[in-house]
Amino acid sequence: MPRIEILFDKESGNKPSEKTRNALREQIIKRIGDKYGPLNVRVAMSTSQSIVISGAKTDDATTEINEIIEDIWLDDSWVPA
């Protein structure tokens, strides 16, 4: 089961709201879960910013998951108003 952890720097002036973080988590589950099945997804605030993808069966799957996350982030249609 792939595990995806996206952490935002809580000290950043451009930190996303809880509503936005929840919407991002939902989009990841929707778009990646449809292809890879059950996921463990965490989107939270932290002392640093990072994206960690683990538990994918192949390096190609990890790369594809990372690309899907990038596509989600660039497509702002999911961001709550």
Side-chain angles (χ1 to χ4, degrees):
M1 171 184 347
R3 175 174 164 66
I4 301 166
E5 183 174 62
I6 300 176
L7 301 175
F8 293 96
D9 184 355
K10 64 183 175 185
E11 300 299 321
S12 171
N14 197 16
K15 58 187 171 190
S17 68
E18 183 176 352
K19 190 174 182 180
T20 300
R21 292 191 312 269
N22 288 338
L24 175 59
R25 183 178 184 280
E26 289 174 17
Q27 282 298 308
I28 290 170
I29 291 169
K30 177 181 173 187
R31 294 192 195 179
I32 297 172
D34 284 349
K35 184 165 188 167
Y36 290 96
L39 304 171
N40 184 345
V41 180
R42 179 176 179 234
V43 179
M45 301 304 292
S46 181
T47 56
S48 63
Q49 189 163 304
S50 68
I51 297 176
V52 178
I53 301 166
S54 60
K57 292 184 179 182
T58 65
D59 288 342
D60 288 341
T62 301
T63 300
E64 183 176 21
I65 289 169
N66 195 39
E67 289 171 356
I68 294 169
I69 291 170
E70 184 177 343
D71 289 344
I72 291 169
W73 189 252
L74 294 175
D75 171 20
D76 63 357
S77 64
W78 59 268
V79 178

